[in-house]
Amino acid sequence: MSRLVVVSNRIAIPDGTKASAGGLAVGLLDALKTTGGLWFGWNGEISEISGEEEEEVSVSEYDGITYAALPLNQNDYDLYYCQFSNTVIWPAFHYRLDLVQFQREAWEGYCRVNTLLADRLKPLLQEDDILWIHDYHLLPFAAELRKQGINNRIGFFLHIPFPTPEIFNALPPHKALLEMMCDYDLLGFQTESDRVAFLDSLSQLTQLQNKGEKKHRAFGNTFMTEVYPIGIEPDSIKEMAEGALPPKMAAMKRELGDVQNIIACERLDYSKGLPERFLAYEALLEHYPQHRGKIRYSQIAPTSRGEVQAYQDIRHQLETEAGRINGKYGTLGWTPLYYLNQHFDRRLLMKIFRLTDVGLITPLRDGMNLVAKEYVAAQDPDDPGVLILSRFAGAANEMTSALIVNPYDRDEVAAALDRALSMPRTERISRYNDMMTVLRQHDISHWRESFLRDLNSLPQRSADHSTAHKVATFPKLA
């Protein structure tokens, strides 16, 4: 069996503690253990090295897996990560062109770091390795490896949405990005609409030939595209959610009594639709006064990318809205909205999910949204809560028994909240069972195995594969 090499922007090197890893990490670790694989990427550290000095790759082995990681210098971190990845690709791919801040220097830094990472990975590769590259930070990575003569099978999975051509083609380096993405052998997307958007963008720029089912040729390369909706480990989530509550949580549950709980949890990000959600909750209190004093909405939103202005702005906006809503509807004995800008341990969070009556997951745009799946998996099968889910989350394609809403329509979300809070147990159980069937059929193992099976089925490029159209410098902008 070929060795699996996973490449991601950031890797977490085990330190021997038993901290619970996220579902994606667990899914990848299982595959790496099977093949004695290698996980390569940035270690999250900023080095003092600059200029012509080279970053040193640290290699360690833990539980049969090799971890290879390197730091970035401050300039590369700023340009590649803070600027191009998070103020160009992230907002554009989430349909927020108004937040894109393109600078040519940042684009060059993004390409330079992908070149650096490819340079440092190359000596670690074996001839028959299978490479699996993850997410938007590494769109040019295969192209950089191909320039260096690496002909191994290379697959890529995009965890976030891929925007329609009207959005994507507004990015100055859109043609260069598309051409570089065609150097992958397999491109995986969360939804069919993401896959089609990628192909539509390609077809507007160059001749796109179909070479069989979901196999294509463009820019001199043949590649496959497919949809792989990422899943979770339902049984692992269920195990975390069950069992005795920590003393403080048990006391809080007793205090709440018959108050119904609405929960939402995601990192603080403008793509998650949090201000719109706060306004929908306010509409619930306004139009359905029978719930006043009998419900509580808790929004958990730990800070992410706090150095980016757009994230600072949304944090301030949420704090203001939470204060206004509580001031308008709260009483001496009742606070309607709890906004918690802090991180919760994942195991504790699953127990919180199990205690709540409604999961309110309404992003404006999301690749998949695993929190929606985790919320369902954490429920008590005999008395489950109700999931309200945005139609613009990838998960809505699978979890059709959730209450599907348009997050831009606050009255529709308010009506869904009213329905969820009054839904009879028999209907809640029926919806829960429907969604659990989907979660078990398309779990994290199914996602991983189907992607790797397809990648392994593709022919490896020959050593004389033409690279005449490749250049060793940064791609020129159209």
Side-chain angles (χ1 to χ4, degrees), residues 222-235:
T222 301
F223 55 92
M224 176 181 174
T225 62
E226 186 54 281
V227 176
Y228 306 95
I230 193 168
I232 60 171
E233 286 188 303
D235 292 334

Side-chain angles (χ1 to χ4, degrees), residues 266-309:
E266 49 256 302
R267 59 186 184 77
L268 190 62
D269 191 281
Y270 48 76
S271 68
K272 302 300 183 182
L274 300 182
E276 291 81 1
R277 197 179 305 170
F278 279 20
L279 294 176
Y281 181 63
E282 182 181 21
L284 172 74
L285 298 177
E286 179 180 350
H287 300 308
Y288 305 89
Q290 68 270 25
H291 296 298
R292 295 179 194 172
K294 299 176 182 178
I295 60 175
R296 186 173 85 168
Y297 167 28
S298 298
Q299 175 65 61
I300 300 171
T303 298
S304 69
R305 303 169 189 160
E307 69 276 10
V308 178
Q309 185 62 45

Side-chain angles (χ1 to χ4, degrees), residues 21-125:
L24 172 62
V26 170
L28 293 175
L29 290 170
D30 285 346
L32 289 164
K33 287 176 186 174
T34 302
T35 62
L38 168 69
W39 198 337
F40 175 85
W42 173 45
N43 63 10
E45 297 177 4
I46 305 298
S47 73
E48 301 298 323
I49 294 176
S50 60
E52 298 301 315
E53 297 178 87
E54 287 196 339
E55 312 291 352
E56 186 174 339
V57 177
S58 60
V59 179
S60 59
E61 189 168 322
Y62 184 84
D63 201 16
I65 299 171
T66 301
Y67 296 85
L70 71 161
L72 296 176
N73 65 45
Q74 187 66 53
N75 186 57
D76 282 346
Y77 169 77
D78 289 341
L79 296 176
Y80 150 81
Y81 182 76
C82 296
Q83 294 186 37
F84 195 81
S85 292
N86 289 325
T87 66
V88 177
I89 297 183
W90 179 270
F93 280 39
H94 287 87
Y95 290 73
R96 290 298 303 271
L97 279 177
D98 58 309
L99 296 177
V100 169
Q101 300 174 22
F102 176 80
Q103 298 177 54
R104 194 162 296 228
E105 183 185 16
W107 160 243
E108 293 173 352
Y110 177 76
C111 292
R112 183 172 62 250
V113 170
N114 272 269
T115 301
L116 167 69
L117 294 172
D119 286 343
R120 309 317 297 278
L121 176 62
K122 182 181 178 182
L124 305 176
L125 292 177

Side-chain angles (χ1 to χ4, degrees), residues 72 111 150 152 172 209 225 244 254 256 270 275 279 299 330 333 359 366 396 402 474:
L72 296 176
C111 292
I150 301 299
N152 301 53
Q209 299 174 318
T225 62
R254 287 193 298 270
L256 286 170
Y270 48 76
L279 294 176
Q299 175 65 61
D366 223 337
F474 300 130

